[in-house]
Amino acid sequence: MTTWPPLLVAVVVVPILGAVLTPVVGQWRARRAADWALGTMLLTSVVALLLVARVADGGPFSYVAGGWEVPYGIELRFDEFSAVTAIICLLGVLAIVFSRRYAEHALPEVRIPYYYALLLLNLAGMLGFSITGDLFNLFVFMEILSLSGYALVAVSGEKIAEMAAFKYLVMGAVSSIAVLFAIGMLYALTGSLNMADVASRLGGAPVAPVAVAFGMMALGFMVKAAIFPLHIWLPDAHAIAPSPVSAILSGLVVKVGIVGMLRLYQIAYTSRALDLEALNTVLMWLGALSIVMGAFFAVFQDDVKMMLAYSTISNIGYIVMGLGLASSAGVIGASVHVFNHAIIKATLFLGAGALIFRTGKRTLTDLAGVGHAMPWTVAAISVGAISIVGIPPTAGFLCKWYIALGAVEAGHPFFAFALVFGALFIFIYYIRMVNAFYFRPPRDPAILEVREAPASMLVPILVLATLCLVMGVLGRIPLSFIEPAVTRLLAPIGGG
Amino acid sequence: MKRALVIALLLAVAVPLLIAVADLPPHGSPDAPAHTHVAPRYLERGAEEAGAENIVTAVILNYRGLDTLGEVTVIFTAMAAVLAVLVGARAVTALDTPASALPVSMIVRFIVRVLAPFIVLFSIYVVLNGHVTPGGGFQGGTIAGALVIALTLIMSDEQAARLLPRRPERVLQAAAPLAFIMTGVTGLLLTGDFLGYPVGHESALVATLMLTFVEIGIGVGGAMVIATIFRTMGAGR
């Protein structure tokens, strides 16, 4: 199957166009901004699905804007990893639907058009980030998504939210500078910004600058991914942001760091300029530490969203460990967990958002017994919880199984142990949550009187919960979809 | 103790960076990859194949136009971020503070008023001439934005509010990405490629018009964004 070549540009230009026009459309009625944003994302989703269908059929393809040849113009390249665009679009659509009632409730009305504009910009930045084949272009999209992310955390206008956003901004700015500096060094070494071209010209470069450039880039992306101990900005930002924003930040934006790492690996492995053994060892250890520390902190949280935020750190640990293992099964498991965790964490954050919207409470203690009042929402949250623990029929199981296999395959059975240990911890705190919602007596009987979430919230949550189950049953499809990309990635170092 | 730790941390970052930078190809060397790989093509053929006599403009708007579209989107994002965080938040404090704390000196007022038309003229010159000489939409837009800020400082709030067009304000704020995308789509229709510019002697005028349109869009959008950010942050001062 082929598609019209410029369609690849459309997947980022359409949401940018939609975003800059959202304040215009929403200047008379805020609801129009919501409709407009939804329409924009639905159109973008159609484009993204066509692109994913094409890559599944015929492998990676490129488009160079302006009709230039490759190192001179900016190449957009869509490979199997770029299929994350489909998840970005899916969560984007659902978060916008969910925001309809939520934003009216949580934000001053004059801000709503800008809220949707920023949401679209954030999605556009992530879409561009995952399809570009050019290093500087990668940085530009990273800035769009970072800047909009900081603002989305602060948008509710509460003091604590502004503080969280500021912390996020400072850490994010440091990571952006690290990445930009690394790109500058790679340009000085090769005279090119095209990723494939850089990889092919990096061969004979001096070792010290290459090592520092790769190191800085990895550092920058690891801050974005919030790996332990670079995670300190995440819990507040993700817990305090409006819930649909939390779903996008926790489900997608931290994955930008992972996609960035995959791009870095593509350059580094192909160029063979450097042995990445040291970096991979660091990543495995940090991954293992993240799994354990994230889970450990999560156990002590009473605030539902805070707990979910720490659980993200834990799950990013799985992904980073899988990447560091550099074995076929490990990287496949990690890549697919990028998709699955996005769905699961969005289910949980949107579910938590619906509970907070109806009850006005956000701690496990206060929410005790809510399962009787909001059965559908809590059922969906429970499905999400089972998935994230990784119990077999759900989406979380296969990836973790693959990462554990990868650890054994790479000769590090200890890390498989860390993974199982982490899963146990995760099991404890999610069982605590489900237990509180269903079986603990309510602290305030009034909680039994609240109504089920409105349809515009419930439908996205149920769609996501269903996907958690479907992705578990059909789990082999994404695994075999991503496999050729991983084989190509690891081929130069003799893996795969 | 804390200071010693900070110094140690800075050294730990600085030393590897310095070692790495020392190993980079020497700055300004004609043999450096930065000067021998992609750049020569821009210098040798930029003027004829990219439609702009100024090579910087050729790279920014044509060869690497997609980056610049991204950058104007970053600028728009910054404005949307400021508005999303500040709009509707300061209404209370605005009533508390006196309308004007310190009267502006007559000399300042006079000079800003005298210079205003010349600043406008110069900003238009910088925008339009960016095609040939260094300069362009970003620089010209900043000059115009700075003028709006200077005028705001010498005027009452009601007068200052009239400086920016009220009606199409939100369209003008998005002028830069809008003009860019419109030009990109025009290129798609004319050449078959997004952000493609027609090449060749007979279509040189079309390419020039497209480039100028983008420059004007960036200029108007940039000025609006700077003025809007300033006004939002100063609301209720």
Side-chain angles (χ1 to χ4, degrees), chain A residues 140-161:
Chain A
V140 170
F141 286 122
M142 192 169 94
E143 282 309 279
I144 296 178
L145 74 93
S146 306
L147 208 51
S148 49
Y150 310 143
L152 283 169
V153 170
V155 80
S156 72
E158 290 160 42
K159 260 266 155 341
I160 183 168

Side-chain angles (χ1 to χ4, degrees), chain A residues 71-372:
Chain A
Y72 304 106
I74 293 174
E75 182 192 15
L76 299 177
R77 186 160 180 76
F78 200 95
D79 60 6
E80 286 85 352
F81 296 127
S82 312
V84 72
T85 46
I87 297 290
I88 296 171
C89 288
L90 173 77
L91 291 201
V93 166
L94 296 178
I96 289 169
V97 172
F98 186 93
S99 295
R100 203 175 181 77
R101 290 287 298 277
Y102 196 91
E104 282 171 16
H105 161 80
L107 307 178
E109 201 187 333
V110 278
R111 289 185 187 179
I112 289 177
Y114 293 104
Y115 165 79
Y116 284 110
L118 288 168
L119 205 53
L120 286 176
L121 287 167
N122 192 265
L123 296 164
M126 287 190 283
L127 290 166
F129 189 94
S130 43
I131 63 165
T132 187
D134 186 281
L135 282 172
F136 192 77
N137 203 229
L138 186 87
F139 176 74
V140 170
F141 286 122
M142 192 169 94
E143 282 309 279
I144 296 178
L145 74 93
S146 306
L147 208 51
S148 49
Y150 310 143
L152 283 169
V153 170
V155 80
S156 72
E158 290 160 42
K159 260 266 155 341
I160 183 168
E162 284 168 4
M163 285 304 293
F166 188 70
K167 195 154 85 177
Y168 184 18
L169 180 135
V170 171
M171 293 292 287
V174 172
S175 88
S176 294
I177 288 173
V179 172
L180 182 62
F181 193 85
I183 293 171
M185 290 180 82
L186 292 177
Y187 179 74
L189 290 167
T190 63
S192 180
L193 288 167
N194 183 278
M195 290 180 194
D197 197 35
V198 167
S200 70
R201 294 172 58 85
L202 214 50
V207 174
V210 176
V212 169
F214 287 174
M216 295 278 276
M217 209 181 251
L219 176 76
F221 289 141
M222 286 298 103
V223 174
K224 291 265 185 273
I227 197 79
F228 183 88
L230 304 171
H231 68 282
I232 48 168
W233 58 269
L234 183 139
D236 287 350
H238 286 198
I240 292 160
S243 292
V245 174
S246 307
I248 297 288
L249 290 179
S250 237
L252 297 172
V253 175
V254 288
K255 310 298 171 40
V256 162
I258 304 300
V259 175
M261 282 307 288
L262 286 167
R263 298 300 179 215
L264 171 60
Y265 276 122
Q266 284 175 332
I267 294 172
Y269 286 156
T270 316
S271 71
R272 314 259 231 123
L274 203 66
D275 185 21
L276 291 190
E277 191 64 36
L279 176 67
N280 281 335
T281 310
V282 170
L283 288 188
M284 277 189 285
W285 278 102
L286 289 183
L289 264 175
S290 280
I291 296 174
V292 176
M293 297 310 281
F296 178 74
F297 283 120
V299 172
F300 294 104
Q301 303 303 321
D302 194 32
D303 184 304
V304 178
K305 285 180 71 180
M306 210 54 141
M307 194 188 99
L308 295 177
Y310 276 108
S311 145
T312 294
I313 297 172
S314 201
N315 277 280
I316 285 292
Y318 284 107
I319 297 173
V320 169
M321 194 170 96
L323 290 183
L325 289 169
S327 68
S328 175
V331 179
I332 291 177
S335 315
V336 176
H337 200 51
V338 167
F339 293 62
N340 285 346
H341 177 253
I343 293 171
I344 301 171
K345 198 40 72 72
T347 316
L348 291 166
F349 263 122
L350 291 185
L355 297 183
I356 295 169
F357 176 78
R358 275 300 191 216
T359 63
K361 299 184 167 60
R362 49 185 300 156
T363 60
L364 289 181
T365 321
D366 285 338
L367 284 168
V370 74
H372 305 287

Side-chain angles (χ1 to χ4, degrees), chain A residues 63 66 72 111 134 137 197, chain B residues 37 42 64 67 87 193-194:
Chain A
Y63 177 71
Y72 304 106
R111 289 185 187 179
D134 186 281
N137 203 229
D197 197 35
Chain B
H37 182 45
Y42 294 159
R64 300 193 60 88
D67 272 348
V87 153
D193 280 304
F194 185 78

Side-chain angles (χ1 to χ4, degrees), chain B residues 112-130 136 139-141 143-145 147-148 151:
Chain B
V112 170
R113 275 169 204 271
V114 167
L115 287 182
F118 299 101
I119 296 177
V120 172
L121 198 63
F122 185 60
S123 87
I124 293 173
Y125 166 78
V126 171
V127 170
L128 292 182
N129 222 30
Q139 293 86 341
I143 296 169
L147 174 66
V148 175
L151 287 172

Side-chain angles (χ1 to χ4, degrees), chain A residues 4 6 9 12-13 16-17 19-24 26-28 63-69 71-74 76 108 110-111 113-115 117-118 121 134-138 140-141 143-144 147-148 150-151 154-155 157 162 181 184-194 197 201 206-210 212-213 216, chain B residues 13 16-17 19-25 32-39 41-42 45 49-50 58 62-71 73-90 166-174 177-178 181-182 185 188 191-197 199 228:
Chain A
W4 187 48
V9 168
V12 358
V13 171
I16 289 181
L17 184 64
V20 300
L21 288 176
T22 305
V24 180
Q27 62 186 317
W28 296 284
Y63 177 71
V64 185
W68 299 105
E69 302 92 86
Y72 304 106
I74 293 174
L76 299 177
V110 278
R111 289 185 187 179
Y114 293 104
Y115 165 79
L118 288 168
L121 287 167
D134 186 281
L135 282 172
F136 192 77
N137 203 229
L138 186 87
V140 170
F141 286 122
E143 282 309 279
I144 296 178
L147 208 51
S148 49
Y150 310 143
V155 80
E162 284 168 4
F181 193 85
M185 290 180 82
L186 292 177
Y187 179 74
L189 290 167
T190 63
S192 180
L193 288 167
N194 183 278
D197 197 35
R201 294 172 58 85
V207 174
V210 176
V212 169
M216 295 278 276
Chain B
V13 176
L17 284 183
I19 293 173
V21 171
D23 257 2
L24 285 178
H35 303 305
T36 55
H37 182 45
V38 174
R41 152 105 179 226
Y42 294 159
R45 294 163 62 185
E49 69 181 11
N62 195 337
Y63 290 110
R64 300 193 60 88
L66 198 62
D67 272 348
T68 315
L69 170 57
E71 278 149 25
T73 309
V74 171
I75 296 175
F76 179 86
T77 309
M79 185 201 66
V82 168
L83 287 170
V85 175
L86 292 184
V87 153
R90 298 263 182 95
R166 201 85 209 127
R167 218 61 236 272
E169 185 187 42
R170 294 190 180 191
V171 180
L172 293 181
Q173 284 166 346
L178 280 181
I181 292 172
M182 279 160 74
V185 174
L188 188 62
T191 69
D193 280 304
F194 185 78
L195 277 174
Y197 293 85
V199 196
T228 307

